[in-house]
Amino acid sequence: GDKAVRAQSIRGYIERHGLYVPARAPWYAALRAEMLGFPAGRNDDMVDMLGLLGQLMDKMLRGKPLRPLVPPSPKDRWDKVFNEESDDHGWKAA
């Protein structure tokens, strides 16, 4: 795919965990300019490298399922009868 699609894996990682970049590194200004200008910027080699790194991390690290934000409500004995999504309509005529 194109570079924007390949960069999605590292984008999610950076949104969740952040990205440590030494601010005094000589290449910091170039990286920052490329990341802020991507995908319309002139240069994108460093962003492409980060995208490939993200794809490698996807293969190396196993994802963890997210915990539900709201615990599921407990089911009672009448839930099956009155649940609209159930295949068994109970007392309702089909």
Side-chain angles (χ1 to χ4, degrees):
D2 64 355
K3 292 181 182 187
V5 173
R6 287 194 305 251
Q8 291 302 312
S9 59
I10 196 68
R11 179 181 172 216
Y13 182 85
I14 291 172
E15 285 179 8
R16 188 170 175 109
H17 300 287
L19 177 67
Y20 171 75
V21 179
R24 294 184 181 173
W27 44 265
Y28 173 71
L31 174 67
R32 185 171 190 264
E34 278 189 28
M35 291 179 77
L36 291 173
F38 186 77
R42 181 175 174 203
N43 298 323
D44 59 3
D45 294 336
M46 290 189 219
V47 175
D48 192 30
M49 179 271 311
L50 282 172
L52 293 172
L53 181 64
Q55 287 180 344
L56 179 64
M57 288 172 56
D58 283 344
K59 291 185 179 189
M60 291 174 51
L61 304 173
R62 182 176 293 179
K64 296 177 184 176
L66 296 175
R67 285 183 253 153
L69 297 176
V70 178
S73 60
K75 304 282 184 183
D76 65 0
R77 63 190 179 115
W78 297 103
D79 188 53
K80 186 175 181 181
V81 175
F82 293 107
N83 187 0
E84 295 291 330
E85 299 171 2
S86 176
D87 291 336
D88 181 23
H89 296 292
W91 57 272
K92 296 180 182 178

